[in-house]
Amino acid sequence: FTAMKINDSSIGDVESGSSSNSNSTLVNAELQAWIAMYGDLGGCAPFIATLAGREALVVPFAFCFNVNGRLSSSLSSYLPCDDSFGSEMNHWPDIQSQLLALSADAVKLLFTAVVRVADAGYRHNDIKWEHLALLPVFAFKSSTPRLEPILVDLADVEKDPNGLKAMAAFILDSMLHIESDKQEFTKLLLQK
């Protein structure tokens, strides 16, 4: 576990003087959404910890896309260190090559992540490129993980049996600005 998140929407609640119960409720809701969508994908289940006197959701590390829908193949983009740290990670060269290969498939990865959320019966209401991430998943007896597309920052999700339709409409209207990307996403949607 390397990524920790304090539910952003809880900051205003705590500063405004309302009880920490609202923070606890939000963090618990996000935990339940994660479990419903991803279970223990990646081999590690998220958990709630108290950080600086507030509850926070601790989730497995994932490689997040940047605001432009791109991935970096530089380890220092993901960790507070330089790339020399990667020499101590046995599987970093394999992950780095996967990141390079997958960075061209952002639309397909976004679609896969959105379908996973919808198949769990949810709708993510804050889809952004930087909420698309690749979660390292180690198969049994494998030293190289595969990278599974997921959506992170689950603070603004809700149960919705028609979530795919709503998320797809938002993505086509607001996220994809290149016509070929819209066509690719629509093609994937029609194949579903």
Side-chain angles (χ1 to χ4, degrees), residues 1 15 82 99 103 189:
F1 291 93
E15 289 175 354
D82 60 28
L99 290 172
S103 64
L189 194 58

Side-chain angles (χ1 to χ4, degrees), residues 14-190:
V14 172
E15 289 175 354
S16 67
S18 65
S19 78
S20 63
N21 286 341
S22 56
N23 179 55
S24 178
T25 301
L26 292 170
V27 172
N28 276 306
E30 191 169 359
L31 173 64
Q32 294 310 311
W34 179 286
I35 291 168
M37 290 175 213
Y38 311 128
D40 65 353
L41 182 67
C44 302
F47 59 92
I48 296 173
T50 301
L51 301 173
R54 295 176 53 203
E55 288 191 339
L57 181 61
V58 181
V59 298
F61 174 82
F63 297 96
C64 292
F65 280 70
N66 66 30
V67 70
N68 297 318
R70 302 285 176 250
L71 283 167
S72 174
S73 61
S74 169
L75 183 60
S76 59
S77 296
Y78 305 103
L79 301 174
C81 59
D82 60 28
D83 282 341
S84 63
F85 179 75
S87 64
E88 296 182 26
M89 295 177 62
N90 303 353
H91 44 272
W92 174 244
D94 296 322
I95 291 174
Q96 188 175 29
S97 65
Q98 286 184 68
L99 290 172
L100 285 169
L102 290 171
S103 64
D105 290 332
V107 172
K108 184 177 178 183
L109 296 169
L110 176 63
F111 178 79
T112 302
V114 165
V115 167
R116 178 174 274 139
V117 169
D119 285 351
Y122 283 85
R123 180 179 73 232
H124 195 298
N125 295 316
D126 190 24
I127 300 174
K128 303 175 184 176
W129 282 115
E130 58 266 34
H131 291 168
L132 176 62
L134 297 173
L135 180 67
V137 176
F138 288 88
F140 183 67
K141 294 188 177 182
S142 172
S143 62
T144 303
R146 72 179 189 280
L147 299 174
E148 286 289 327
I150 62 170
L151 291 177
V152 296
D153 194 358
L154 305 179
D156 193 8
V157 299
E158 59 187 272
K159 289 201 171 268
D160 183 350
N162 299 311
L164 181 58
K165 185 176 181 181
M167 289 184 289
F170 172 80
I171 290 166
L172 288 168
D173 290 343
S174 303
M175 280 185 68
L176 301 178
H177 304 292
I178 300 171
E179 191 58 36
S180 60
D181 288 346
K182 288 183 178 190
Q183 290 172 355
E184 181 181 359
F185 192 86
T186 302
K187 181 181 172 186
L188 292 166
L189 194 58
L190 294 173

